Amino acid sequence: MVSQHGILYAVHLITNQFGNLVAKVCECLLRNGALTLQAIVRRTELSPAKVRNCLLVLIQHNCAQAFILEESVSGEDAGEPGKALTQYIALFVNILHRVRFSKFMDVVSKELGGSCGELFRGLLEHGRLTVKQIVDRAGANAKESTNTVQEDLGKLVMAHYVECCPAPEPLVPPPDADTKKRAKSSKVMVEPLTLEQRVMAVAMPSAMRRFSFVPNADQVADDQQNVNQPPSKDVGEKRKLHDLESDTALEEEVECNWRANFEELLRRLRHKTCVDTIKVRFDDAAATVLSAMLEASRAEEDKVKTANSVPLSLNTIYEEVVKNEKNHSMTFDHVRTCLEELSCPPTFVKTDDESYSIDFTKITEAAQSEEIESIVLKRFGETAYKIFRLLFRAGCLMETDKIADKIFAEKKETSKTLFKMWQDGYLLMEVTLTFSSYKLVSAPP
């Protein structure tokens, strides 16, 4: 469930980039969930044409997804029983990714070069493009040849920075009843998938097609001719479901739109944050070992929010370390020592029977804590910085007098700083008859 502040921020981003009309439709989807075109028209009081154009803009820039729910339509959108209507859902996380575009560009440009970075910039600006559109844009800007552009696109796809777009209107089945029964009977808590997760799971193409690209300049022209061919069915003839599915498969073979793969880019940014955090807390050698572990386990990460990496043996880690010529001076014992340091509290690397795995949660929390501490230091000063560190480590309410004693500060100055931090929402305060106690907010602004 998206918070009210999250909705306001997302609407602010859409307003700045696409205008008030698109933002109004986006806000309607964020606040009400999946809606049909008619329902959006009723809630926004815009004309169907304007709503349709706004939805096309959101879909083009990967901020919304259309789908058909394989269930009987009910409520205010009810039509014929069992009739499936196209619905639209806002992709909140993708909207927030728009503020990370500059970081995404840095990742691609540093790893694959300026030409790939410029091609990737076009996908960020336009949302999704066909191969022909990518070639035309690159040729108009830099006068590059078709083969060069397609080679750069192939590099982006091979690195998983670019992916084939999801299906335009996937048919989403209802939740599996057997899965619900197993979840109820199982002792392990199973979190049900949200509607957005179900939609995107069905819409995304298979892994082979998602990252499959064969440079072929002549294929683009052939595909365009196939698209313009008339349909085989006679006008007015009723089409069955298997016919629609076969036609959809044919259209996917004919043309594929490409877009940035935010999931892989976030994973790379997360890895960079982990390495930078370890480098600051330990040294370059520990950061090198952690980077090697990330590289060795990257293929096994099936989602961005992974709590731990797959277990790796010491031999596997050492082999990955020495693959880089700069690390040939590192010995086997040196790598073992670094892993032992990373295994000490706070445990950034877990050990289990000569196997090592990265605790992403611990490293991420440490990085977030350091970031918030720097914000507190700049905004409130050194006394507030000490208070924040003390309360963060305590994790419970503490009296004002006790806080002042712990940080070696005067009670008057401590009370003034605590009150200011409480006013700005950084602390929670509990007042009793004898004293006031403070603790950290779970998510400081």
Side-chain angles (χ1 to χ4, degrees):
M1 186 67 180
V2 183
S3 65
Q4 293 299 317
H5 292 292
I7 292 175
L8 291 176
Y9 184 57
V11 173
H12 170 72
L13 294 176
I14 297 298
T15 303
N16 287 343
Q17 298 183 20
F18 304 114
N20 294 327
L21 285 180
V22 179
K24 189 173 184 178
V25 173
C26 182
E27 182 176 9
C28 179
L29 291 174
L30 288 171
R31 294 191 182 279
N32 298 282
L35 295 172
T36 62
L37 177 64
Q38 293 76 13
I40 300 173
V41 170
R42 286 195 295 271
R43 284 176 168 82
T44 59
E45 298 181 351
L46 298 173
S47 65
K50 289 183 178 180
V51 172
R52 188 178 292 106
N53 289 335
C54 292
L55 288 171
L56 289 175
V57 171
L58 291 172
I59 293 173
Q60 172 68 26
H61 290 273
N62 308 302
C63 298
Q65 174 68 39
F67 67 97
I68 298 174
L69 199 59
E70 192 180 340
E71 294 176 350
S72 298
V73 180
S74 59
E76 62 176 347
D77 300 325
E80 299 177 8
K83 182 180 179 181
L85 298 176
T86 300
Q87 300 185 51
Y88 302 89
I89 188 170
L91 304 179
F92 174 73
V93 176
N94 282 8
I95 297 174
L96 297 187
H97 287 332
R98 304 192 67 81
V99 300
R100 304 185 178 103
F101 279 3
S102 59
K103 294 183 178 180
F104 293 161
M105 278 293 305
D106 290 340
V107 171
V108 175
S109 298
K110 288 179 181 178
E111 182 174 337
L112 300 180
S115 59
C116 290
E118 187 59 32
L119 191 151
F120 185 75
R121 183 194 301 275
L123 290 173
L124 294 180
E125 291 177 354
H126 300 283
R128 50 183 70 184
L129 297 171
T130 63
V131 175
K132 186 177 185 305
Q133 291 171 333
I134 294 172
V135 170
D136 291 344
R137 179 186 177 277
N141 293 342
K143 305 299 181 184
E144 295 184 5
S145 65
T146 300
N147 291 336
T148 302
V149 174
Q150 293 197 1
E151 287 176 3
D152 290 340
L153 179 59
K155 293 178 183 178
L156 290 168
V157 175
M158 286 293 295
H160 289 191
Y161 290 145
V162 171
E163 64 180 358
C164 186
C165 289
E169 291 185 7
L171 187 64
V172 181
D176 189 0
D178 294 336
T179 304
K180 291 183 178 179
K181 293 179 180 179
R182 287 195 299 269
K184 290 181 179 179
S185 61
S186 176
K187 295 181 180 180
V188 180
M189 181 64 69
V190 179
E191 185 177 354
L193 295 178
T194 63
L195 178 60
E196 179 181 338
Q197 291 172 333
R198 288 166 51 202
V199 170
M200 297 311 299
V202 177
M204 291 305 298
S206 63
M208 181 177 295
R209 176 165 176 77
R210 185 181 177 188
F211 302 110
S212 176
F213 174 73
V214 179
N216 188 350
D218 297 330
Q219 186 65 36
V220 176
D222 296 339
D223 291 344
Q224 293 298 323
Q225 293 177 2
N226 293 334
V227 171
N228 296 328
Q229 288 181 357
S232 58
K233 290 285 182 181
D234 296 334
V235 177
E237 184 177 349
K238 193 171 182 178
R239 306 174 74 189
K240 297 182 179 180
L241 179 60
H242 68 272
D243 293 331
L244 293 174
E245 292 175 347
S246 62
D247 289 349
T248 302
L250 180 60
E251 290 175 0
E252 290 179 349
E253 292 179 0
V254 169
E255 191 69 39
C256 176
N257 291 331
W258 298 92
R259 68 173 188 176
N261 181 16
F262 298 140
E263 185 176 317
E264 180 63 26
L265 290 160
L266 277 182
R267 186 179 291 112
R268 298 297 176 92
L269 289 177
R270 185 188 189 189
H271 290 179
K272 182 178 182 299
T273 301
C274 291
V275 173
D276 292 343
T277 302
I278 295 301
K279 184 180 294 185
V280 171
R281 284 179 169 258
F282 295 92
D283 53 20
D284 291 343
T288 299
V289 172
L290 188 84
S291 179
M293 294 179 68
L294 291 170
E295 191 67 29
S297 60
R298 178 185 297 175
E300 303 298 330
E301 289 187 43
D302 55 349
K303 57 183 179 180
V304 176
K305 293 184 178 180
T306 304
N308 302 287
S309 67
V310 295
L312 299 171
S313 65
L314 181 59
N315 290 329
T316 302
I317 298 172
Y318 179 72
E319 290 174 1
E320 191 65 37
V321 168
V322 297
K323 280 184 180 180
N324 192 332
E325 294 181 0
K326 298 179 181 179
N327 304 329
H328 284 176
S329 60
M330 291 191 69
T331 63
F332 193 83
D333 291 336
H334 193 182
V335 173
R336 186 197 298 274
T337 302
C338 291
L339 289 171
E340 291 175 353
E341 291 177 355
L342 292 172
S343 303
C344 295
T347 308
F348 294 138
V349 171
K350 296 180 179 180
T351 59
D352 183 19
D353 192 21
E354 295 299 323
S355 296
Y356 301 87
S357 61
I358 302 171
D359 191 336
F360 288 115
T361 304
K362 285 284 184 66
I363 300 178
T364 303
E365 288 177 353
Q368 290 174 342
S369 176
E370 292 176 358
E371 183 68 20
I372 297 172
E373 287 174 3
S374 65
I375 294 173
V376 171
L377 179 62
K378 293 178 182 178
R379 186 166 183 174
F380 301 104
E382 187 175 353
T383 301
Y385 170 74
K386 293 179 180 179
I387 292 173
F388 184 90
R389 288 178 64 90
L390 174 65
L391 293 177
F392 183 81
R393 282 163 174 74
C396 61
L397 288 166
M398 292 185 68
E399 300 85 354
T400 305
D401 293 346
K402 190 174 182 180
I403 294 173
D405 294 339
K406 290 284 186 181
I407 65 173
F408 302 102
E410 295 182 359
K411 181 180 177 182
K412 184 177 180 180
E413 181 186 0
T414 303
S415 299
K416 184 179 178 181
T417 305
L418 286 168
F419 185 74
K420 188 175 182 181
M421 295 175 69
W422 171 74
Q423 279 187 318
D424 289 352
Y426 282 77
L427 301 178
L428 292 177
M429 178 175 60
E430 182 179 303
V431 182
T432 63
L433 295 177
T434 56
F435 53 81
S436 300
S437 299
Y438 293 84
K439 73 174 182 177
L440 285 180
V441 176
S442 58

